[in-house]
Amino acid sequence: MGWRTKYDVEFKGLKEGLHEFEFEVKDAFFEHFEQGLVTFGDIRVMVTLEKRSSFIKLFFKMKGWVELTCDRCLENYRQKIKHKSELFVKYGDNDYEDDEIIWILPEEHRINLAQLIYEYIILSIPIRHVHPDKKGATGCNLEMLEQLKKYEQKKEEPEEITDPRWAALKNWNNN
């Protein structure tokens, strides 16, 4: 028992058909994942379970925000996230792994979604972490952007050292 049981879905006693579950993901959730990209967030997760005799299909729908560090100005900001996906749960003793299929033993009566929810949250984060634009202006710290411009201007272009043997080829396209 523990924090993970909040994200369990008991499916053994459910009738065939659609069943809905709702989960709240808050800051405490992210504390349980080491070296995580996210430490703060507020996400609502809706899971629709479609139970059939030979398989279960899970539909995930997530919406909320996570706190990230801006790659440009290094300040924290809230990144809105949305994610939709589906996953099959099949019964059997199969070691075959797939991104869209999870295998469980026939005697299982529940499935824990904590790891899946975390992975889907991470997948929904854009690769480039920058403040979203606000009415055409950047949300980044303007002082930090000014400092970056100063360092860019100070960067001197290295002198190009040309091997004299290749100097003749340099003008080859100009002829």
Side-chain angles (χ1 to χ4, degrees):
M1 297 305 230
W3 70 273
R4 284 188 180 267
T5 57
K6 292 182 198 176
Y7 304 98
D8 281 352
V9 172
E10 299 269 347
F11 57 83
K12 238 352 177 206
L14 298 176
K15 295 180 181 178
E16 286 192 17
L18 297 176
H19 307 276
E20 291 189 357
F21 300 90
E22 184 176 341
F23 302 99
E24 289 286 325
V25 176
K26 302 277 185 180
D27 301 344
F29 175 83
F30 298 108
E31 293 173 2
H32 300 283
F33 295 93
E34 291 182 21
Q35 301 175 351
L37 177 65
V38 178
T39 52
F40 301 108
D42 187 7
I43 301 160
R44 183 172 169 233
V45 181
M46 297 295 297
V47 178
T48 304
L49 181 143
E50 179 182 350
K51 186 175 180 187
R52 298 288 172 229
S53 60
S54 60
F55 69 89
I56 295 172
K57 191 171 185 180
L58 299 171
F59 299 93
F60 290 86
K61 187 176 179 182
M62 301 180 182
K63 189 174 183 178
W65 61 268
V66 293
E67 187 173 284
L68 300 174
T69 302
C70 180
D71 292 339
R72 191 181 312 156
C73 71
L74 302 178
E75 282 194 356
N76 291 342
Y77 74 99
R78 288 184 175 185
Q79 174 70 51
K80 291 182 181 179
I81 62 166
K82 271 186 177 177
H83 184 79
K84 289 182 183 180
S85 60
E86 56 186 48
L87 180 75
F88 283 95
V89 179
K90 293 190 176 182
Y91 303 105
D93 190 13
N94 196 337
D95 289 337
Y96 172 74
E97 289 189 24
D98 191 337
D99 292 340
E100 298 173 358
I101 301 172
I102 293 178
W103 292 90
I104 60 171
L105 297 173
E107 57 270 5
E108 290 287 328
H109 59 84
R110 80 178 90 139
I111 186 167
N112 184 276
L113 302 178
Q115 185 67 37
L116 286 169
I117 290 171
Y118 179 75
E119 289 174 8
Y120 288 147
I121 290 169
I122 297 302
L123 285 172
S124 67
I125 296 173
I127 293 173
R128 189 166 180 235
H129 309 153
V130 292
H131 282 92
D133 289 341
K134 298 176 185 175
K135 297 181 184 176
T138 182
C140 284
N141 181 339
L142 296 177
E143 291 177 28
M144 181 61 86
L145 294 179
E146 289 299 320
Q147 287 292 334
L148 288 172
K149 283 182 186 177
K150 286 180 187 177
Y151 286 113
E152 265 183 16
Q153 291 169 357
K154 286 183 182 179
K155 187 170 44 170
E156 297 177 22
E157 291 185 27
E159 289 183 27
E160 213 175 293
I161 301 172
T162 306
D163 187 341
R165 295 174 288 180
W166 298 102
L169 292 175
K170 190 174 185 180
N171 295 326
W172 183 67
N173 280 342
N174 296 337
N175 292 335

